[in-house]
Amino acid sequence: MKYMKMAVIAMMALAFESQAEYLSVPTLATADIIISDPQSVSHTLVPERGLLAGQLNEGTPVAVGYVNIGHKEKSIVLAWTSGKSYRDNIHIIPSLENPKNTLTVSFFNPDAGQTFLVDNAINAFVLSAPEPKSDWRYVVRAARSQRVAAGTYQLAINAYLYTF
């Protein structure tokens, strides 16, 4: 009988063995593995302060953009992501408060390089420089003299690497 009790206890221990290994609720740990693109671009757009409703003269800066590409290139690409663009570097931005009020702007390259359309599908314009560089600056300015209503005009611009 003694051996029978021991056999029953041994069988019960085997039956519960897989359950005995997990004495708590499982806790999950995760980690986001980030692998950076070696061709990364940082991009900042800073609006001009103190702009007033009324007459806005052609060439008046409305924002300045800064792009860092991490290595030196002779060109970058800028693309409007909202509003309506035209092939001749003219872009119309509606006011957030009243879409009938618009601001007409264009890219200006202060480095005396060229600015030209490279991809009409995404409204992309190339900015080039005479010498390769990693830190870029561009100006968004009034494309023509215009009367502008008070409001918020949101610029949205993508920056890309580009090589000829």
Side-chain angles (χ1 to χ4, degrees):
M1 182 73 129
K2 180 178 177 181
Y3 294 111
M4 186 179 218
K5 284 183 184 179
M6 289 176 71
V8 170
I9 291 172
M11 287 185 349
M12 287 176 57
L14 285 175
F16 293 109
E17 181 180 344
S18 63
Q19 293 177 359
E21 291 178 24
Y22 304 104
L23 298 177
S24 70
V25 176
T27 56
L28 177 65
T30 64
D32 294 333
I33 308 303
I34 299 171
I35 300 174
S36 298
D37 182 353
Q39 303 289 330
S40 66
V41 174
S42 66
H43 184 201
T44 305
L45 189 58
V46 180
E48 289 289 329
R49 299 289 179 210
L51 296 172
L52 301 174
Q55 186 64 32
L56 188 65
N57 294 324
E58 181 176 356
T60 301
V62 298
V64 178
Y66 301 92
V67 179
N68 179 281
I69 59 173
H71 65 281
K72 293 184 177 186
E73 291 288 344
K74 288 184 81 168
S75 59
I76 60 170
V77 169
L78 301 173
W80 303 105
T81 64
S82 63
K84 184 165 177 66
S85 292
Y86 296 92
R87 295 174 137 303
D88 55 354
N89 191 17
I90 301 293
H91 188 71
I92 299 173
I93 305 164
S95 164
L96 295 178
E97 295 83 6
N98 182 353
K100 291 181 181 181
N101 296 334
T102 61
L103 173 63
T104 303
V105 296
S106 63
F107 292 124
F108 174 69
N109 186 348
D111 291 324
Q114 297 179 341
T115 303
F116 60 90
L117 182 70
V118 67
D119 188 340
N120 197 43
I122 61 169
N123 302 313
F125 291 83
V126 170
L127 268 65
S128 64
E131 297 296 323
K133 61 184 190 167
S134 59
D135 292 313
W136 291 78
R137 182 173 81 84
Y138 66 92
V139 178
V140 178
R141 63 183 188 173
R144 60 178 171 77
S145 291
Q146 57 197 296
R147 293 206 56 81
V148 181
T152 303
Y153 300 83
Q154 187 176 62
L155 287 174
I157 301 169
N158 280 329
Y160 304 91
L161 289 173
Y162 182 81
T163 55
F164 289 101

